[in-house]
Amino acid sequence: MTALDLSSPVAVVGTGTMGQGIAQVALVAGHRVRLFDAVPGRAQDAAAAIGARLDRLVEKDRLTGAERDAARARLLPAADLAELADCSLVVEAVLERLDVKQDLFRALEDLVDEDCLLATNTSSLSVTAIGGALRSPGRLVGLHFFNPAPLLPLVEVVSGFATDVSSATRAYEMARAWGKTPVACADTPGFIVNRIARPFYAEAFAVYEAQGADPATIDAVLRESGGFRMGAFELTDLIGQDVNESVTHSVWQSFFQDVRFTPSLAQRRLVESGRLGRKSGHGWYDYGDDAERAEPHTAEQAQPPAYVVAEGDLGPASELLALIREAGIQVREEDEDHGSRLVLPGGGQLALADGQTSVEFRDVVYFDLALDYRRATRIALSASQDTSPQTLAEATGLFQALGKDVSVIGDVPGMIVARTVARIVDLAHDAVAKGVATEEDIDTAMRLGVNYPLGPFEWSRRLGRNWAYALLDDLHLRDPSGRYAPSLALYRHAYASDKREGSTS
């Protein structure tokens, strides 16, 4: 099964931002495109807006004048739904209400040919439920574009319970022919991206709600240590707090209020107060003209230790030893089988976040996970009220000597980056085990859909097979609500590694 022939007309129903974007993608690919909107005049307005965007593409040398003129000639606003009867593909981007979408597809089913592919751009509703209203649900497929559709490459091709394999294949090949990067997934709440991305927001909000750190500090750690392009607070301000919370709530409800997807009460209060982010002028941050930029907590300069003692293997943080030596600090290595840590001159210990809390131990400072400890510009440290000032100062000075800003947060198990990445890895393994998508497609979706520095399985391979499971298992012991309980899929992944290594534990 191949993509649609360019001679086949394509229709887009719904002329909001997403509908216009999808129409532009199809136009630039070479199709004739018919635009329809139930509100009179909106299709014509949308066509004019698309034409203006084509003009800007010419100004940026991304289209020639001749290509723009040809695309404009192929764009036809439709005054009546019946004008879509000869289309080979109809994509809807209308209101996110099940009854509205079902009514639309029932009407289309009476108009178009039997081989016309029907596609929904829904981001939160069940493709299966939408198709359930049709006589022939096998030809309905989800085509979830990301906003702005002309710029973002990812398209989730979603197969409902009754979607024919041939329909999904046609949609996949068509998206690829349009210059997009398609990924295939089953009809599950949130599909790939909106399902697996939930912990990125949820864990940042949880650290904030536990008074572990303020939004600016959490965002800075996610960016400068975790390698994420934006932090959770600034990103949800950009998306819109109401939009982000709505998606979270939809996924949570669709999973029968699974505690792993529980929405944030702090975000709920933000929405209730009308602080929706950039579009309202205030969200987690203030965007008023006179507002001061929120700055992350950064520790004052401290004296670095003269030496550290490395006990055991630091695992994902092993590259720190080379950085410490390069900074002129002596590293004494000792083989120990009871832990992985750095011992500081004052006798305190420095350990990578592992899901435990500092207060449980005599004198321990935890440091957070980094995507790349050499390139990271900020490191978070976590200490309890019982941690000695000397140990915290030596730990701070150590990372400052490596050229890092240091943010000291509360005694938060799993800290910020580590718990976030562990939960993302867990949800990804769970999704594969349940047939949602392949490892490769999940990694592609998370890199392209939300600009993650690594896909979940790339993280998993880099950190070690047992890392995420061990961290979440420790977190679950300290918060037995079920939120951090590792999935059976992640357990099997970690246990299989142990068996290969001959472990009986």
Side-chain angles (χ1 to χ4, degrees):
M1 188 66 66
T2 58
L4 296 178
D5 189 272
L6 288 179
S7 63
S8 302
V10 169
V12 177
V13 180
T15 58
T17 301
M18 186 57 75
Q20 290 182 31
I22 296 170
Q24 181 179 327
V25 171
L27 268 180
V28 172
H31 289 275
R32 285 176 291 148
V33 177
R34 296 202 174 93
L35 272 177
F36 176 78
D37 197 290
V39 179
R42 281 194 179 172
Q44 288 81 1
D45 292 342
I50 294 169
R53 283 199 290 273
L54 294 176
D55 288 339
R56 289 195 289 274
L57 290 178
V58 172
E59 293 169 3
K60 295 177 181 179
D61 293 326
R62 295 178 183 173
L63 278 182
T64 66
E67 289 170 334
R68 173 202 56 200
D69 294 342
R72 278 181 166 172
R74 294 193 300 270
L75 181 58
L76 303 171
D80 190 275
L81 201 64
E83 296 179 45
L84 314 184
D86 65 337
C87 290
S88 297
L89 167 69
V90 181
V91 184
E92 70 79 14
V94 301
L95 189 66
E96 281 286 276
R97 271 180 43 187
L98 180 60
D99 59 336
V100 172
K101 293 181 187 291
Q102 287 178 330
D103 288 345
L104 170 63
F105 282 117
R106 273 193 292 257
L108 286 168
E109 198 171 30
D110 292 334
L111 289 172
V112 298
D113 291 339
E114 291 183 359
D115 61 350
C116 175
L117 186 63
L118 302 178
T120 172
N121 184 59
T122 186
S123 60
S124 61
L125 299 176
S126 164
V127 174
T128 301
I130 295 171
L134 301 181
R135 295 189 302 274
S136 302
R139 61 169 160 170
L140 179 74
V141 65
L143 274 179
H144 183 214
F145 288 78
F146 287 74
N147 192 30
L151 296 180
L152 294 186
L154 185 69
V155 177
E156 292 177 320
V157 181
V158 186
S159 294
F161 188 78
T163 302
D164 292 335
V165 172
S166 60
S167 297
T169 302
R170 287 174 67 197
Y172 187 98
E173 294 300 331
M174 182 209 65
R176 188 156 59 180
W178 288 3
K180 297 300 181 182
T181 302
V183 293
C185 66
D187 184 21
T188 184
F191 308 141
I192 298 175
V193 172
N194 281 329
R195 173 178 177 155
I196 295 174
R198 295 345 298 159
F200 179 76
Y201 313 109
E203 294 312 307
F205 298 162
V207 172
Y208 168 76
E209 290 175 336
Q211 300 187 51
D214 61 276
T217 299
I218 296 169
D219 278 353
V221 172
L222 286 168
R223 289 192 313 267
E224 299 174 41
S225 183
F228 293 95
R229 185 167 296 185
M230 299 180 74
F233 296 90
E234 58 188 335
L235 180 55
T236 53
D237 267 357
L238 178 63
I239 295 169
Q241 297 302 329
D242 52 340
V243 174
N244 181 260
E245 195 218 19
S246 176
V247 173
T248 299
H249 196 271
S250 173
V251 172
W252 175 62
Q253 289 283 22
S254 297
F255 276 114
F256 308 107
Q257 300 186 359
D258 186 329
V259 68
R260 296 176 302 166
F261 301 101
T262 301
S264 162
L265 181 59
Q267 188 180 40
R268 175 91 292 261
R269 294 291 179 258
L270 205 66
V271 173
E272 289 173 340
S273 71
R275 294 186 172 187
L276 306 182
R278 289 182 177 272
K279 63 185 177 184
S280 69
H282 204 305
W284 295 110
Y285 301 109
D286 185 352
Y287 298 95
D289 293 337
D290 299 326
E292 294 185 6
R293 177 183 174 86
E295 296 294 337
H297 166 76
T298 302
E300 294 183 1
Q301 198 67 33
Q303 186 70 26
Y307 68 90
V308 296
V309 178
E311 295 185 350
D313 179 10
L314 293 182
S318 59
E319 65 181 314
L320 278 177
L321 298 182
L323 298 181
I324 293 170
R325 290 189 177 98
E326 290 170 16
I329 298 171
Q330 182 183 6
V331 177
R332 305 171 185 172
E333 296 191 57
E334 296 182 3
D335 292 330
E336 295 287 342
D337 60 4
H338 58 267
S340 302
R341 60 195 179 186
L342 297 175
V343 180
L344 300 165
Q349 301 172 22
L350 184 60
L352 176 62
D354 59 6
Q356 301 183 84
T357 57
S358 181
V359 75
E360 299 172 51
F361 304 98
R362 183 180 62 83
D363 196 11
V364 170
V365 171
Y366 280 105
F367 64 93
D368 208 350
L369 180 69
L371 172 68
D372 183 331
Y373 283 99
R374 183 173 293 277
R375 294 184 179 182
T377 57
R378 182 178 300 272
I379 294 293
L381 301 181
S382 175
S384 75
Q385 66 270 23
D386 295 331
T387 304
S388 76
Q390 179 183 355
T391 297
L392 183 56
E394 288 178 341
T396 300
L398 175 65
F399 281 103
Q400 289 172 338
L402 307 186
K404 319 298 183 188
D405 288 328
V406 173
S407 292
V408 179
I409 69 171
D411 190 12
V412 178
M415 301 191 68
I416 298 170
V417 179
R419 70 196 288 178
T420 299
V421 170
R423 288 209 59 218
I424 289 171
V425 167
D426 182 45
L427 289 186
H429 278 280
D430 185 53
V432 169
K434 292 176 177 173
V436 174
T438 65
E439 292 185 8
E440 181 181 4
D441 276 356
I442 287 175
D443 276 354
T444 298
M446 301 314 290
R447 286 196 313 269
L448 298 184
V450 278
N451 290 312
Y452 283 4
L454 294 174
F457 293 97
E458 292 173 315
W459 271 113
S460 186
R461 288 188 289 272
R462 175 180 289 202
L463 296 170
R465 295 177 64 93
N466 193 53
W467 178 85
Y469 176 81
L471 187 143
L472 290 176
D473 194 40
D474 276 335
L475 264 171
H476 178 54
L477 289 174
R478 288 150 186 82
D479 178 359
S481 65
R483 178 188 182 103
Y484 299 104
S487 67
L488 180 59
L490 190 64
Y491 172 78
R492 285 173 171 157
H493 178 74
Y495 182 68
S497 174
D498 286 342
K499 287 192 68 175
R500 278 195 294 275
E501 293 165 6
S503 171
T504 58
S505 60

